[in-house]
Amino acid sequence: MNYDVNVMSVENVFYRNESRWAREVCKTRYYDAVVFFTEGEIEYRFPQKTVVARKGDILFLPGNIPYSGVRHSGHCSYYVIDFLCSDEAQFECFGAPCAFPVTNYQKVQQQFERALRLWNHSSVDTMIGLKGFLYALLRERFYTNEESGNQTPENEILRFIESHIGDPNLSIAKICEELYISDSQLRRAVHKLAGTSPNGYITTIRLNKAKVLLSASDQSIKDISYACGFASPYYFSRVFSKATGMSPSAYRARTRD
């Protein structure tokens, strides 16, 4: 597979700070983009996958794939770099669309701030500097993975579980199949970062999401159970009661007193 990406041009660099972002209709954007989130959370829905990006994540967004999206938070802010590749399919060969958390938030934020300054104060070296920044991001994310044998980063495993938590069919076998890892790799990674088994982590994330929805939304308990990936409202109530010592309805009443 050809892993070369030729960035022809940077078309726009901007920063958005807004509370009304919405993309209800599935549409294709013209440019490829790199997006760095500094606040909030957005769920991007593509034909073949769903990607959730939140504060501290970098989103790689191909320009030739239609998508819609929904905010999971009241407020969002992010930097965007729009660019064009010589081949529209080049960006996809790296696995885009995808999102991954940065390891040094403050440093990355400063880099995007500098990219925005470069764009706003156009000079002879503006395009060279911006292209160099894009290539550095691509190498940090993708070339490193290729050189290390395509091992999935441990935090990406947790991110995958979190972004698919609403799927009642989410299982160890499915995670391993989607991420191309073995059962033992998955168990070691989850235990290292979360201190529990994959199934235990899935249940914890589902219950935490349910608690938020019970406290902050008016959704029915039935709808919440399905939104959190439980196979049935009865099973949800049984698991929730065992973990918290109270039923979902009792928990909702207590948190709203």
Side-chain angles (χ1 to χ4, degrees), residues 107-223:
K107 178 182 177 181
V108 174
Q109 184 178 24
Q110 291 172 349
Q111 291 173 327
F112 274 89
E113 288 174 351
R114 179 178 180 274
L116 183 59
R117 289 197 300 270
L118 273 174
W119 181 258
N120 290 335
H121 300 88
S122 183
S123 63
V124 175
D125 64 346
T126 292
M127 194 60 63
I128 295 175
L130 291 173
K131 284 185 178 182
F133 179 43
L134 286 173
Y135 285 131
L137 288 175
L138 288 169
R139 177 168 182 80
E140 179 181 349
R141 168 57 181 162
F142 299 113
Y143 282 103
T144 301
N145 287 347
E146 176 66 13
E147 291 165 359
S148 62
N150 283 325
Q151 297 299 314
T152 305
E154 291 159 341
N155 53 16
E156 189 170 318
I157 293 174
L158 300 192
R159 183 73 67 188
F160 178 88
I161 292 174
E162 291 172 11
S163 64
H164 292 78
I165 205 65
D167 181 0
N169 297 315
L170 184 64
S171 64
I172 291 176
K174 184 171 183 177
I175 296 169
C176 291
E177 179 181 355
E178 291 289 334
L179 297 181
Y180 301 98
I181 58 175
S182 66
D183 181 285
S184 59
Q185 284 177 305
L186 173 63
R187 293 180 185 277
R188 284 196 302 267
V190 174
H191 188 271
K192 178 180 179 180
L193 294 184
T196 186
S197 66
N199 285 332
Y201 184 72
I202 290 171
T203 299
T204 297
I205 297 299
R206 283 176 171 161
L207 290 174
N208 287 342
K209 181 177 180 179
K211 290 176 182 178
V212 171
L213 293 176
L214 287 167
S215 301
S217 80
D218 293 322
Q219 288 181 262
S220 68
I221 291 175
K222 178 180 179 181
D223 288 343

Side-chain angles (χ1 to χ4, degrees), residues 5-11 30 32 82-88 90 127-128 131 134-135:
V5 168
N6 179 21
V7 177
M8 293 177 58
S9 63
V10 176
E11 298 296 326
Y30 183 68
D32 296 319
D82 287 323
F83 61 98
L84 283 174
C85 292
S86 59
D87 181 346
E88 65 177 16
Q90 283 184 327
M127 194 60 63
I128 295 175
K131 284 185 178 182
L134 286 173
Y135 285 131

Side-chain angles (χ1 to χ4, degrees), residues 2 24 33 46 56 60-61 101-102 140 159 171 206 211 223 237 239:
N2 180 11
E24 297 177 356
F46 301 90
F60 289 90
L61 192 60
V102 300
E140 179 181 349
R159 183 73 67 188
S171 64
R206 283 176 171 161
K211 290 176 182 178
D223 288 343
S237 295
V239 174

Side-chain angles (χ1 to χ4, degrees), residues 217-236:
S217 80
D218 293 322
Q219 288 181 262
S220 68
I221 291 175
K222 178 180 179 181
D223 288 343
I224 289 174
S225 69
Y226 291 133
C228 296
F230 289 95
S232 72
Y234 171 77
Y235 180 64
F236 165 56

